[in-house]
Amino acid sequence: MAKDLYEILGVKKDATKEQVRKAYRRLARKWHPDVNPGNKEAEQKFKEISQAHDVLGDEKKRKLYDEFGEEGLQAGFDAAKARQYKQWSTYQQAGAGMGGQPFGRYHSYEDIFGDVFGLGGEESGSRVRRSFAGRDIEHEMTIDLVQALKGFETELAMQKVASCSSCKGSGMDSQTKLSPCATCGGSGRINVAQGPMQFTRACPNCKGHGQVGKPCPACGGSGRVMGAERLRVTIPKGVKEGSKVRVAGKGEPGMDGGPPGDLYLIIHIAPHPLLTREGDDLHMEVPVTVREAMAGATVTIPTVDGEVNLKIPPGSQSGRILKLRGKGAVNPKTKQKGDLLVKLVVKVPKTDDPEILEAVRKMDRLYEEDVRASVKL
């Protein structure tokens, strides 16, 4: 989303939530792909409008966007930790510049962020080397209802945390000379008294590595930088609003040999002008003429699987619902399909032809009772 989201919807930055919603609905009706079949420009425009509404229509996302811009919308972004990280980076640079004792990412990084990457370890003699699994991240996607029903493949361009290429994720300057940690004597462990028992734990200075050195200037010692990645993902058939699609191994990278996290795509479904979904059933309104409703007819209607013929029984009233079995949505778990429920809407022609109006008046005599007899409060 390279453009200003407020500009995309044509609203001011102080627009109310209701003004944002109205602007989105107006533009969505104009640019929806079903209204502009085959128009790639309209399809792209509709995507931009949906993404803008997804952010500006959500109070939390809008605050992040107003404070951080597009960066605040990236997958895995944490505003509080971003502020802490900036403070930590300033502290690291100030400490190194003033002759303090820098320890790369094994000095203050985890004191700020906590043990958020998971913990593993392999013992080698008296030293323990800790590995950290990468965090899972989430990325929100807004897709069309028909896309959700059919499933599709797409390419995503994402910004996310990546291993620093300069230090290969170690957090240490490649030119620095590592020295044994003064706190633990290079063992990576320190003794802890617990009543009559003695235990050891990872050294807080070197985080169990036993060695310290100068932090990498490219990443400030964290071993991680913001990077960009393009990846192809498959959205399965039948995903619903709020569904989570897991992409294994595409989360944040692990540290010290730890496995990467997973990416979870949070699916949002844009409103469709013709179809609505309830469970695994789809609902659609189909206009019919007076003749088709009275005399019966066979009409062609669109479905997710292509066009089908719908038989309208003679004497069908406006509002009658006809069921097409197996023409609904696929259940992602059972792989069974719901039904398509078609609601008939009788359309009356506009005419001033006196013969037609006379025929209609004669037709009124065919009603056996008052059609509004049951309309009572």
Side-chain angles (χ1 to χ4, degrees):
M1 292 181 285
K3 299 180 180 178
D4 181 87
L5 301 188
Y6 291 97
E7 182 180 337
I8 290 175
L9 291 184
V11 297
K12 297 181 179 179
K13 290 192 174 182
D14 59 353
T16 64
K17 188 173 183 179
E18 180 64 18
Q19 289 172 330
V20 169
R21 185 184 68 83
K22 287 183 178 179
Y24 165 70
R25 294 186 65 180
R26 174 175 54 80
L27 293 172
R29 285 194 295 267
K30 178 180 178 181
W31 296 104
H32 198 285
D34 287 348
V35 181
N36 303 272
N39 188 330
K40 294 295 183 181
E41 181 184 356
E43 182 179 345
Q44 180 60 33
K45 188 75 174 178
F46 180 74
K47 287 181 180 178
E48 291 180 355
I49 294 166
S50 298
Q51 290 171 339
H53 176 258
D54 183 54
V55 174
L56 301 185
D58 184 289
E59 184 177 350
K60 292 183 179 179
K61 292 181 184 177
R62 184 172 177 177
K63 286 183 178 179
L64 283 175
Y65 178 71
D66 289 342
E67 182 177 358
F68 298 100
E70 293 180 14
E71 183 180 358
L73 305 176
Q74 301 302 326
F77 183 83
D78 188 308
K81 290 180 180 177
R83 297 185 188 101
Q84 290 176 328
Y85 183 80
K86 289 180 181 179
Q87 294 173 357
W88 171 76
S89 296
T90 302
Y91 166 79
Q92 284 282 78
Q93 293 169 5
M98 296 172 64
Q101 184 185 18
F103 296 98
R105 67 186 170 102
Y106 306 113
H107 181 58
S108 299
Y109 180 84
E110 290 176 8
D111 292 339
I112 295 174
F113 284 86
D115 193 8
V116 296
F117 298 106
L119 174 63
E122 293 183 3
E123 294 198 12
S124 176
S126 62
R127 282 188 54 187
V128 174
R129 183 168 182 83
R130 304 175 73 189
S131 63
F132 298 86
R135 284 195 308 172
D136 294 337
I137 59 178
E138 295 183 348
H139 177 74
E140 301 197 28
M141 288 183 66
T142 299
I143 63 176
D144 182 75
L145 176 58
V146 175
Q147 289 180 315
L149 296 172
K150 291 184 175 181
F152 66 102
E153 287 189 3
T154 188
E155 187 176 76
L156 295 179
M158 297 180 57
Q159 285 189 329
K160 65 179 186 180
V161 173
S163 293
C164 175
S165 59
S166 296
C167 63
K168 296 182 174 55
S170 70
M172 299 294 182
D173 188 339
S174 59
Q175 304 300 318
T176 191
K177 182 179 179 180
L178 298 179
S179 58
C181 174
T183 301
C184 63
S187 69
R189 308 291 292 181
I190 60 173
N191 293 323
V192 180
Q194 186 75 20
M197 304 292 290
Q198 293 289 322
F199 297 92
T200 66
R201 65 179 178 88
C203 173
N205 272 347
C206 64
K207 303 304 180 186
H209 284 259
Q211 293 181 310
V212 294
K214 182 180 179 181
C216 170
C219 62
S222 70
R224 304 155 77 80
V225 294
M226 287 302 297
E229 181 179 2
R230 302 187 73 87
L231 63 153
R232 292 199 66 80
V233 297
T234 299
I235 307 300
K237 292 182 180 180
V239 290
K240 301 179 181 180
E241 172 65 30
S243 293
K244 287 188 176 184
V245 177
R246 176 175 174 263
V247 185
K250 291 301 181 180
E252 291 187 359
M255 295 192 297
D256 294 334
D262 297 329
L263 166 65
Y264 288 89
L265 302 175
I266 311 301
I267 304 299
H268 297 292
I269 311 296
H272 193 277
L274 299 178
L275 290 172
T276 57
R277 178 174 180 172
E278 292 184 8
D280 296 328
D281 292 334
L282 299 177
H283 295 257
M284 174 192 294
E285 290 188 354
V286 173
V288 295
T289 67
V290 175
R291 177 192 63 79
E292 290 170 337
M294 292 185 66
T298 299
V299 299
T300 301
I301 65 170
T303 73
V304 176
D305 301 318
E307 293 186 340
V308 298
N309 292 327
L310 175 67
K311 186 175 181 180
I312 301 173
S316 293
Q317 300 288 349
S318 185
R320 181 172 183 174
I321 295 177
L322 305 178
K323 180 184 293 185
L324 291 177
R325 296 192 179 276
K327 295 299 181 181
V330 175
N331 186 300
K333 294 182 178 179
T334 66
K335 306 304 179 184
Q336 299 297 313
K337 298 189 70 172
D339 302 323
L340 174 60
L341 304 177
V342 180
K343 181 179 180 180
L344 303 180
V345 179
V346 178
K347 294 292 185 179
V348 178
K350 295 181 179 180
T351 179
D352 294 328
D353 188 320
E355 292 185 6
I356 299 297
L357 296 177
E358 179 59 28
V360 172
R361 282 189 283 269
K362 291 180 179 180
M363 189 168 60
D364 270 354
R365 295 198 293 267
L366 299 177
Y367 291 103
E368 297 179 355
E369 59 182 22
D370 183 358
V371 296
R372 290 176 292 279
S374 61
V375 182
K376 297 179 181 179
L377 296 180

